[in-house]
Amino acid sequence: MATQFLRRFFAPRSLVVIGASPKPESMGGIVLQNLLQAGFAGPVWAINPRGYQEVHGVTCFRRIADLPEIPDLAVVCSPLSGVPAVLERLGRQQVRAALIVSGGASLEDDSRDGKALRARLERATLRSGMRVLGPECLGVAVPSMKLNATYASQPIGDGSVAYLGQSGMLGNAMIDWAAGREVGFSHLVTLGDSLDVQLPDLIDYLNQSGRCRALLLHLEAFGNARHFMTALRESSRNRLVLAIKSGRTAEATLRPVPPTAGVDRRDAIVDAALARAGVVRVGDSDELFDALETLSRLKPPKGDRLAIVSNGVGPALLAIDRLIDGGGRLAELGEAAADALMERRLDVSRPGRNPVDLGGRATPDDYLSALEIVTRDPNVDAVLVLHAPTRLAPSLDTANALIDARQRFRHRLLVSWMGLKEALEARAACNRAGIPSYVSPEKAVRAFLHLVRYRQVQHLLQETPPSLPFDSSTGSRQRCHALIDDALGRQRDRLTHQETGEVLAAYGIECAPSEYVFDLEQAERATARLRGPWAVKIIHRDNCEPFRYWGESRRQAASLIQDLEQPGSVVDAVVRLEARVGETLPDSPIYSYCLQTMQRGKGSLQLCAGITRDAEFGPVIVFGMGGYKVDVMADRQTALPPLNMRLAEELMDRTRAGRLIREHSEDPASAVDWVARLLVKLSQMASDLPRLKGLEINPLLLNHEGVMAVDFALDLGPASTQAIMPYPEQLRETVTLSGMEIEIRPIRGEDAPLITHFHTFLSEQSIRYRYFHHKAVLSPRELSQLSQINYDRQMAFIAVRGVEQSAGQESRAAGPASPSEEMLGVVRVWNDSDNIRTEFSIIVRDDLHGSGLGRRLMRKMIDYSRQVGTLVMVGTILSDNLPMRRLLVSLGFELRTNVEEGAVEATLKLNEPQSDWQRHRLDAAMD
């Protein structure tokens, strides 16, 4: 339902408080008084069955049916046990939004009719047709609208920060923290145990708000992970998003989530998801506002190199410890900076090196001199100033000197004024001047790491990846689906070792040469086809399950015999393995025996890679150190698919395995490329095979020849949904147009070089028709936004052809970055979060005007939009774009001229509305 009727929560024209009481300490009394104190401008009524004439000066009625008109919003404060009946009465009166602040009862307790309160509330919500927020929520506050429908203990200041949380009490604390730091809110909402309106719905609504410039999130559970990730990724592209997550441990989780196979610390998946969405995660509430203060005042630095200027080495060493532990780097000063510091005798401990210790006799002028030198050093990304008060450099005097001279410093400054009495005034002065200041060196470094982390997550969100190294084919997908169908048809929930090897081979993943045999004679003959020495593994049901680490050594000892030198030893191993499994795992059917050449030498590094499935986020890619004799869980890191090469490298770099690859491989660049390609292939596999539950490749050998899967296991489950919508492979098609074979397919992040080259084939007029002004060059951010789209809310179909088909055609640039194809045209749509309207744009290369390509692209997009249920397609074109006007009319669009704007509004109805609300949304910009 997304944003349906949410306007009534945030901008109601009228409202009623149900359960309002003249008792000032009652919930209804507090909410009503907060509404009045905030100065809400619209009509406010109260409902109380005791028949009061008025409550706190507000007209009171006995029943909802007695209200003079239908309110936009009902705030329910009556006892929770009676709320289901209240919701049904509100629904009969056509009220469309209810905010339930009532709480204090368990939703799981059975009532007199034997049904839990949760079930009664859900049924009443469904019957009423309303949007319901709560129960047990703090309420909703929008200070700019003079709306404070909460039981908060103090007024809520106006500002540009939105807070969305799931705990009412934590929301109350946030209000107090914010007031103490002079932070105001554009919106404040807590969901409580919300049965209808969910966190992604609220994020979708705020994404349409221009007042919200930063978003603070308190997270407990995620619900629909795809909706959550879609809304969050869209939000973080346009504003700062900070999140705090409770439930890092199983003991702190109210609604336990099943463990994720192969992942020791499930919270790492939450980290990976938030980073992928461009969100900075913080550890506690205090850190939340520290991060907000820092990130709202400073732009992220280009790197993670920090220089420190201090009037004592002790505080600097504390800062360095925190910096290195947090993943930052201590900057190495350049030769020019080091020489200048030594020449002026400013550095007393380790002259010319970082940290710069000015010593206890330092004056404010010494600080300024050192900062002028250090901030000009190109090897430095940011500078931390540490100050302890002395007679020669009082805190406030030093602060005022920094403030007056701050325009002379080229790099970002963070300042820690240590102490309390003197430091308070210095911190206040710097805060007023817009210089972030902190109580301790550790907090200042943490703030710097927030800046670094924000740059990293935004880089992941915005960057343009290199070309895909692999595309799955229809044939490979069909072979894998056939293997899965056959296994499920035989009542097996996992593939055999041999079948898993076939799946890996279908995706271009090299497996160790293997012979699968079923008896002693076959085993002996197989030794003639494989060089020795050999390893023999018995394949049975239990060891075809991935990520089985309990009793790992016992499992391996029972299933594998290595370093067999003679064929007779292989035969003997088969006999011994059969006896072992029969004794230790009698209920595990034996499928076959796998004979492999021992894979030793070549300087191989043992890795582990695979796919697991999380109960909330669906398929997850895992990577880390491998082997049977190491704690593989300790190094394992996770990432959400789909992955590209850059995202795969980022996953590698978070592991000890990745650092070993870069530091000790003979050819680090090739090694990183080989492993990243494999991770991308696993990501593609997760997208193509939704019934794949888990896949573990362990060990995965990396050496100078490449990567090779030695042992592997794959199990099956119900079809899963990825948290981030994968590339819609099924929408690709090949057509013939004017004698050319053209592929029309959805755009992907790797297509940015094609867009750049395509732009060189556009005239100034074509660019003006598309962008309404001349745009000579697309910036990296614009390229990222055009190529990396959210397939849940956007679609772009591009027409491409092989480069060889354009031979003889005059090129206007050095050729496309991808040697295999070039882009001929593109059509785009942007859907609103409710899938009511979609806005289109289209552009075709000048040399292909009149070829019919534009019509073909528009028809494909119209068919797609109809299929996904969008109601109407709209677009704006310039009045003098006559060819486009003729095309749109022929496709059934209605055109309306806007004389003042010199433009034409085009509208095409795609589907009929299915509800009154959808009909309303067609007629209004927002409800």
Side-chain angles (χ1 to χ4, degrees):
M1 297 175 75
T3 64
Q4 180 178 2
F5 299 131
L6 292 192
R7 192 273 304 163
R8 298 170 189 255
F9 289 103
F10 295 101
R13 291 182 286 265
S14 59
L15 56 82
V16 60
V17 179
I18 299 173
S21 168
K23 298 178 182 179
E25 71 278 5
S26 69
M27 183 73 74
I30 294 171
V31 171
L32 188 56
Q33 289 178 85
N34 280 347
L35 280 167
L36 298 175
Q37 289 174 8
F40 181 72
V44 179
W45 303 289
I47 298 289
N48 193 303
R50 296 191 177 184
Y52 300 113
Q53 292 297 312
E54 61 177 40
V55 176
H56 298 297
V58 173
T59 305
C60 185
F61 300 89
R62 282 180 177 272
R63 301 178 305 163
I64 296 169
D66 297 335
L67 291 171
E69 61 182 85
I70 300 172
D72 268 3
L73 175 65
V75 184
V76 182
C77 306
S78 52
L80 196 55
S81 59
V83 169
V86 171
L87 294 180
E88 293 194 4
R89 288 194 290 271
L90 288 170
R92 287 195 292 271
Q93 297 301 315
Q94 302 299 306
V95 178
R96 288 291 170 256
L99 175 63
I100 307 174
V101 298
S102 310
S106 172
L107 299 187
E108 310 308 326
D109 289 346
D110 291 343
S111 58
R112 295 174 186 174
D113 61 0
K115 293 183 178 179
L117 182 55
R118 178 184 298 277
R120 293 172 55 221
L121 285 167
E122 289 174 343
R123 182 178 61 186
T125 298
L126 188 62
R127 287 179 176 177
S128 69
M130 291 189 299
R131 299 308 306 271
V132 176
L133 185 61
E136 293 199 87
C137 68
L138 172 66
V140 174
V142 186
S144 64
M145 302 294 294
K146 301 188 182 303
L147 174 67
N148 183 3
T150 74
Y151 59 83
S153 59
Q154 60 183 292
I156 302 172
D158 189 15
S160 59
V161 177
Y163 173 78
L164 303 180
Q166 293 178 288
S167 165
M169 285 300 102
L170 188 56
N172 237 330
M174 284 291 173
I175 293 169
D176 192 52
W177 269 312
R181 296 183 179 229
E182 299 181 352
V183 173
F185 292 100
S186 64
H187 306 77
L188 184 140
V189 188
T190 71
L191 290 88
D193 201 350
S194 191
L195 304 174
D196 173 37
V197 176
Q198 300 299 316
L199 188 64
D201 301 331
L202 298 175
I203 297 173
D204 276 333
Y205 184 89
L206 292 182
N207 285 343
Q208 305 167 35
S209 169
R211 288 189 58 82
C212 173
R213 299 182 61 185
L215 176 59
L216 308 183
L217 297 175
H218 165 239
L219 306 171
E220 290 180 359
F222 297 97
N224 186 327
R226 176 170 289 185
H227 187 184
F228 173 78
M229 291 295 290
T230 296
L232 198 56
R233 283 161 63 84
E234 184 175 330
S235 184
S236 61
R237 285 181 182 273
N238 299 294
R239 60 181 58 83
L240 168 66
V241 183
L242 301 171
I244 181 173
K245 168 74 167 63
S246 56
R248 286 177 176 266
T249 61
E251 291 79 2
T253 305
L254 295 178
R255 297 179 187 174
V257 178
T260 302
V263 178
D264 185 43
R265 189 177 67 90
R266 187 185 167 273
D267 194 61
I269 298 174
V270 177
D271 279 338
L274 293 177
R276 188 69 179 273
V279 176
V280 175
R281 183 178 182 180
V282 298
D284 54 59
S285 309
D286 195 39
E287 187 182 354
L288 189 68
F289 280 105
D290 279 347
L292 174 65
E293 181 178 11
T294 305
L295 291 167
S296 61
R297 291 184 173 183
L298 293 179
K299 291 183 179 180
K302 293 182 179 180
D304 57 359
R305 302 168 301 177
L306 181 67
I308 300 173
V309 177
S310 175
N311 62 349
V313 73
L317 296 180
L318 292 174
I320 293 171
D321 281 341
R322 182 69 182 87
L323 176 70
I324 303 305
D325 287 345
R329 288 190 295 164
L330 191 65
E332 293 186 12
L333 300 181
E335 186 176 344
D339 290 345
L341 288 169
M342 289 188 288
E343 181 182 340
R344 299 190 190 185
R345 298 182 179 179
L346 291 170
D347 196 348
V348 299
S349 292
R350 300 191 304 170
R353 297 175 65 184
N354 188 17
V356 178
D357 177 18
L358 302 177
R361 298 183 59 80
T363 65
D365 286 341
D366 291 333
Y367 267 99
L368 300 185
S369 298
L371 287 173
E372 276 199 88
I373 295 170
V374 174
T375 59
R376 292 177 184 274
D377 191 337
N379 295 330
V380 173
D381 295 310
V383 180
L384 170 59
V385 179
L386 302 179
H387 178 273
T390 67
R391 286 186 178 276
L392 295 178
S395 298
L396 185 58
D397 291 351
T398 308
N400 288 331
L402 285 180
I403 293 167
D404 292 341
R406 65 186 184 276
Q407 299 299 328
R408 290 153 50 186
F409 307 138
R410 292 188 178 180
H411 283 310
R412 299 154 184 81
L413 290 184
L414 299 96
V415 187
S416 172
W417 303 102
M418 293 177 287
L420 184 61
K421 186 176 180 181
E422 281 194 39
L424 279 175
E425 293 180 337
R427 284 197 289 271
C430 281
N431 285 331
R432 286 192 298 270
I435 299 175
S437 59
Y438 305 92
V439 175
S440 67
E442 295 88 348
K443 280 199 169 188
V445 171
R446 188 173 68 176
F448 170 71
L449 293 174
H450 288 149
L451 290 168
V452 172
R453 183 60 176 159
Y454 185 56
R455 178 186 61 83
Q456 290 171 342
V457 297
Q458 285 292 304
H459 197 53
L460 289 178
L461 188 69
Q462 304 285 353
E463 74 172 350
T464 302
S467 297
L468 277 174
F470 173 79
D471 267 328
S472 60
S473 66
T474 303
S476 66
R477 293 193 298 272
Q478 289 176 343
R479 289 195 301 275
C480 295
H481 282 297
L483 288 168
I484 292 171
D485 290 338
D486 182 67
L488 294 175
R490 296 172 184 267
Q491 306 302 308
R492 286 195 279 118
D493 63 352
R494 62 204 69 176
L495 298 188
T496 67
H497 197 273
Q498 183 174 3
E499 291 167 341
T500 302
E502 291 179 39
V503 172
L504 296 178
Y507 281 82
I509 297 173
E510 182 182 358
C511 300
S514 304
E515 290 283 341
Y516 294 91
V517 300
F518 302 91
D519 56 37
L520 300 180
E521 292 182 2
Q522 291 182 1
E524 188 170 15
R525 289 198 299 268
T527 59
R529 298 189 293 271
L530 281 179
R531 61 179 176 80
W534 302 279
V536 177
K537 178 176 181 178
I538 186 169
I539 310 300
H540 56 92
R541 185 188 63 194
D542 282 11
N543 69 0
C544 289
E545 179 184 356
F547 307 115
R548 288 189 62 195
Y549 296 124
W550 55 267
E552 177 70 25
S553 59
R554 171 174 168 269
R555 176 170 78 102
Q556 291 305 323
S559 301
L560 180 69
I561 298 178
Q562 303 181 83
D563 297 308
L564 301 170
E565 301 283 350
Q566 301 297 328
S569 301
V570 171
V571 173
D572 179 62
V574 170
V575 174
R576 291 160 55 195
L577 287 171
E578 182 177 9
R580 283 183 189 176
V581 172
E583 180 182 347
T584 59
L585 297 167
D587 297 326
S588 183
I590 296 173
Y591 299 139
S592 64
Y593 301 87
C594 177
L595 179 65
Q596 292 181 343
T597 299
M598 289 296 298
Q599 300 294 327
R600 289 229 171 95
K602 303 178 184 178
S604 296
L605 177 65
Q606 293 192 10
L607 306 172
C608 175
I611 305 166
T612 188
R613 184 182 295 187
D614 183 72
E616 287 187 316
F617 289 98
V620 176
I621 306 300
V622 297
F623 176 74
M625 293 297 295
Y628 300 127
K629 297 182 180 180
V630 298
D631 182 4
V632 295
M633 304 282 273
D635 186 47
R636 185 163 293 163
Q637 292 292 328
T638 62
L640 297 186
L643 298 182
N644 56 46
M645 290 292 282
R646 294 244 171 89
L647 292 172
E649 289 186 24
E650 188 274 337
L651 170 59
M652 293 170 58
D653 289 340
R654 286 188 274 124
T655 65
R656 188 163 60 93
R659 292 191 290 274
L660 287 174
I661 292 169
R662 291 190 183 277
E663 294 171 5
H664 300 292
S665 298
E666 292 182 14
D667 183 356
S670 295
V672 168
D673 185 70
W674 290 330
V675 177
R677 285 170 179 264
L678 178 132
L679 293 173
V680 172
K681 292 173 183 179
L682 294 181
S683 169
Q684 187 66 49
M685 197 182 297
S687 300
D688 292 345
L689 309 175
R691 292 176 294 177
L692 188 160
K693 181 181 178 184
L695 167 66
E696 180 183 15
I697 306 174
N698 182 25
L700 171 72
L701 296 187
L702 169 67
N703 54 45
H704 64 273
E705 296 178 351
V707 289
M708 176 186 291
V710 175
D711 200 7
F712 30 81
L714 186 156
D715 64 352
L716 307 171
S720 63
T721 299
Q722 291 186 202
I724 301 174
M725 187 173 177
Y727 183 76
E729 184 76 27
Q730 72 279 7
L731 296 177
R732 301 172 78 145
E733 66 170 324
T734 301
V735 300
T736 301
L737 198 66
S738 300
M740 294 185 296
E741 188 175 274
I742 295 172
E743 183 183 31
I744 299 178
R745 60 170 174 81
I747 202 166
R748 55 195 181 195
E750 292 79 3
D751 290 324
L754 298 185
I755 298 175
T756 301
H757 183 64
F758 169 76
H759 210 261
T760 66
F761 285 84
L762 303 177
S763 64
E764 288 190 15
Q765 184 183 59
S766 292
I767 293 172
R768 185 175 68 87
Y769 282 160
R770 166 62 179 86
Y771 298 105
F772 287 27
H773 62 274
H774 181 60
K775 185 181 288 288
V777 179
L778 296 172
S779 69
R781 182 179 178 85
E782 288 171 327
L783 279 174
S784 170
Q785 291 174 336
L786 290 173
S787 59
Q788 292 195 41
I789 67 172
N790 188 334
Y791 299 113
D792 254 3
R793 300 280 174 84
Q794 300 167 256
M795 182 51 68
F797 290 120
I798 62 172
V800 296
R801 67 178 174 186
V803 170
E804 65 276 6
Q805 293 187 7
S806 61
Q809 197 172 29
E810 182 180 351
S811 177
R812 306 183 191 186
S818 169
S820 60
E821 59 187 12
E822 62 181 351
M823 182 171 149
L824 309 178
V826 57
V827 60
R828 300 177 179 274
V829 291
W830 293 263
N831 286 20
D832 62 35
S833 58
D834 301 307
N835 201 26
I836 300 294
R837 291 182 176 86
T838 191
E839 184 176 355
F840 78 89
S841 71
I842 183 171
I843 188 167
V844 173
R845 270 172 40 166
D846 282 55
D847 57 334
L848 292 173
H849 287 180
S851 66
L853 179 58
R855 177 180 297 274
R856 192 68 182 246
L857 288 171
M858 282 298 298
R859 280 181 173 169
K860 185 171 180 67
M861 188 59 80
I862 290 169
D863 291 344
Y864 166 79
S865 297
R866 281 200 173 107
Q867 182 182 355
V868 299
T870 311
L871 300 188
V872 64
M873 181 180 286
V874 300
T876 302
I877 59 174
L878 293 177
S879 297
D880 61 340
N881 192 349
L882 299 181
M884 178 57 68
R885 293 175 64 173
R886 289 193 292 269
L887 172 61
L888 295 179
V889 169
S890 70
L891 292 171
F893 280 81
E894 294 181 5
L895 304 185
R896 183 174 61 85
T897 302
N898 185 331
V899 178
E900 292 183 0
E901 298 291 336
V904 174
E905 307 292 337
T907 304
L908 178 67
K909 292 182 179 179
L910 300 171
N911 290 292
E912 289 298 320
Q914 300 299 307
S915 66
D916 290 339
W917 176 78
Q918 284 189 332
R919 293 185 185 91
H920 173 78
R921 286 284 277 116
L922 281 175
D923 300 329
M926 178 63 63
D927 192 323

